[in-house]
Amino acid sequence: MYKDKGPEKTITVIGGGPSGMAAAISAARQGTGRVLIIEKNDILGRKLLATGNGRCNLTNTNCPDAEETIRFFNGLGLLVRTEEEGRVYPYSEQAAAVREALMNELKHLNVIIRCGTEVKAVERTENHGFRIVSEGGILYSDAVILSTGGKAGPQYGCTGDGYRFAKAFGHRVVSIRPSLVQMVSDEPFFKSLKGVRAKGRAALYRTDQAAGCEKAVDSEDGEIQFTAEGLSGICIFNLSRSYVRGDHVKIDLFPEYDEKALREILSHRAEALENRNMAEFFTGMLHIKLVPVILNLLSLDEDRKAASLTADELSKAAQLLKGWRISVTGTKGWKEAQVTAGGVDLAEINRDTMESLYVPNLYFTGELLDVDGKCGGYNLQWAWISGLAAGRSAAMKIREEQC
């Protein structure tokens, strides 16, 4: 059982994920009192080990504060390398090396770690400190940093406890939903396309009721992956951040060409391959599994000869290949999602210090907040930078209060 704290000032970090570990390190480096991490998993950084397919995409050089993050990890002895599109990885390409570097620093700084302990409640005390109720007993703390994460990845212990704590302190939680996740469709052809990958452009469309038309909400270029249930791949994950029910996706399988140019290519192929049937006509242009699906959508019989294609049919083919409309019924759930969209309202947080504007000495970090980025290291960058700011600010404020 925990005992009441002694005269030494205490900063308690609830949650031992990326932002929680960064916050604890940042706070402990200030040398103000003791720093404690409470984590309900058996180890710190469990979800971190799975990031980047086990490689851990630390940050992205396109982030404004990326250099601060890189300096932070260099200071921990972690060598990094920058790859395509600004993605930064540990040189060893091991997420475990990132966790180990963080753990070594926590140990060096004498941060107290309590794993396997679930926090049940966080309350304000009469002396403006905090009372933390957990399975291990009751702990009192001068400052609390909530780094509990979101709901994405419940298999890693992410259950959204922090939202309940935030609401108890009067904070608003913006509606949460799975993000960076696959999109689901009820189109019957997906079962035959499982495993197909195609380079192209995917765009998310939404009906504008006032204008009476559909408009593109966002678009992404890259590899589009087809699953038995719908669409996947990095570009689809990025579009999922903006998805709302009723939206649909359009796929451009030939983004290098405009519709007119593609129409001309098809016309020349029809002349050059006049004696080929429809299945052969598209060979060399499309993945072999896509061909029968496209032919069916165009109502073209596989046995028809290319020479029989009319000008109208060639135009419709070009239109489809440049704007294949896919109905979307929703997204996969929390287990498949990489991050949580929504969270504690940023308008109620001091963005410089990560301190609550309602409750002094209460701080928020990482995925618990209403911040989510696209794939490529943007979300981990937010975890590191918000954690470092919260830890530093909490320690500095306690020092000022002691003076």
Side-chain angles (χ1 to χ4, degrees):
M1 296 288 287
Y2 291 130
K3 296 180 180 180
D4 195 347
K5 73 180 185 67
E8 189 177 22
K9 292 290 185 178
T10 302
I11 297 171
T12 303
V13 181
I14 301 177
S19 69
M21 288 189 282
I25 290 171
S26 184
R29 283 177 173 177
Q30 304 303 313
T32 305
R34 67 173 186 169
V35 179
L36 167 69
I37 297 178
I38 302 178
E39 166 60 45
K40 68 179 178 180
N41 281 317
D42 292 334
I43 62 169
L44 301 187
R46 185 179 172 194
K47 187 177 179 181
L48 178 66
L49 293 173
T51 60
N53 292 321
R55 295 177 63 209
C56 191
N57 186 181
L58 286 169
T59 185
N60 194 294
T61 56
N62 293 308
C63 295
D65 300 311
E67 284 303 316
E68 182 179 349
T69 297
I70 292 172
R71 284 195 302 271
F72 170 66
F73 279 104
N74 284 340
L76 300 182
L78 192 77
L79 186 64
V80 302
R81 68 171 70 180
T82 302
E83 298 187 359
E84 59 190 26
E85 298 179 345
R87 292 184 171 92
V88 179
Y89 292 90
Y91 210 83
S92 66
E93 297 195 339
Q94 290 181 300
V98 178
R99 179 184 175 276
E100 191 68 19
L102 292 164
M103 291 298 296
N104 289 341
E105 185 69 359
L106 290 168
K107 181 179 179 181
H108 175 73
L109 293 168
N110 297 314
V111 172
I112 303 166
I113 299 172
R114 306 292 189 201
C115 288
T117 304
E118 183 175 355
V119 172
K120 300 296 185 181
V122 184
E123 304 161 347
R124 197 75 163 140
T125 62
E126 292 181 0
N127 65 351
H128 304 298
F130 297 89
R131 179 176 181 264
I132 302 168
V133 181
S134 75
E135 295 172 327
I138 295 175
L139 171 74
Y140 292 90
S141 186
D142 298 280
V144 166
I145 301 175
L146 291 176
S147 304
T148 54
K151 289 192 68 175
Q155 64 272 36
Y156 305 114
C158 304
T159 53
D161 299 333
Y163 303 127
R164 176 167 51 85
F165 302 151
K167 288 178 179 178
F169 285 111
H171 278 280
R172 173 176 176 262
V173 175
V174 178
S175 180
I176 60 172
R177 63 187 186 281
S179 186
L180 299 189
V181 66
Q182 298 177 24
M183 291 188 179
V184 178
S185 174
D186 58 5
E187 299 279 11
F189 51 71
F190 275 107
K191 286 183 174 58
S192 67
L193 296 180
K194 181 181 179 181
V196 172
R197 298 167 183 256
K199 292 287 181 66
R201 177 175 298 134
L204 187 70
Y205 276 80
R206 184 170 302 157
T207 301
D208 185 329
Q209 300 294 346
C213 62
E214 60 180 34
K215 294 183 178 180
V217 177
D218 196 6
S219 67
E220 289 278 338
D221 289 9
E223 185 179 78
I224 301 161
Q225 299 175 17
F226 294 82
T227 74
E229 299 171 283
L231 298 168
S232 186
I234 289 177
C235 58
I236 297 299
F237 288 167
N238 289 338
L239 292 183
S240 74
R241 297 175 57 217
S242 304
Y243 172 80
V244 298
R245 187 162 295 279
D247 291 351
H248 63 273
V249 171
K250 283 188 178 180
I251 295 176
D252 182 351
L253 292 169
F254 294 88
E256 297 90 345
Y257 305 97
D258 60 24
E259 189 176 310
K260 180 180 179 182
L262 184 59
R263 165 68 173 76
E264 291 176 354
I265 289 172
L266 293 174
S267 179
H268 289 313
R269 286 177 72 86
E271 294 176 5
L273 305 174
E274 59 180 354
N275 293 320
R276 305 287 181 87
N277 61 31
M278 286 296 96
E280 295 175 334
F281 176 74
F282 283 108
T283 299
M285 291 185 70
L286 298 171
H287 189 289
I288 191 169
K289 287 187 176 181
L290 282 172
V291 174
V293 173
I294 295 299
L295 290 178
N296 184 58
L297 292 171
L298 291 171
S299 300
L300 294 175
D301 191 290
E302 288 188 359
D303 295 326
R304 275 188 60 181
K305 300 297 183 182
S308 69
L309 287 169
T310 66
D312 183 57
E313 287 173 328
L314 289 169
S315 293
K316 287 180 178 179
Q319 290 169 12
L320 176 65
L321 296 175
K322 290 288 295 177
W324 181 7
R325 189 185 192 282
I326 306 288
S327 66
V328 177
T329 56
T331 68
K332 286 280 194 173
W334 292 115
K335 186 176 181 180
E336 294 82 7
Q338 293 184 25
V339 299
T340 305
V344 177
D345 193 343
L346 280 177
E348 302 172 352
I349 307 295
N350 182 325
R351 287 291 297 269
D352 294 325
T353 65
M354 308 313 298
E355 185 177 17
S356 165
L357 296 178
Y358 298 162
V359 184
N361 294 326
L362 177 66
Y363 299 81
F364 296 87
T365 70
E367 198 175 337
L368 179 59
L369 290 152
D370 182 21
V371 177
D372 68 288
K374 62 182 183 179
C375 293
Y378 295 92
N379 291 289
L380 269 181
Q381 167 64 21
W382 169 246
W384 308 127
I385 214 71
S386 62
L388 292 173
R392 179 173 56 248
S393 301
M396 291 176 66
K397 187 173 181 184
I398 283 180
R399 181 185 299 142
E400 292 172 1
E401 291 173 350
Q402 288 177 311
C403 297

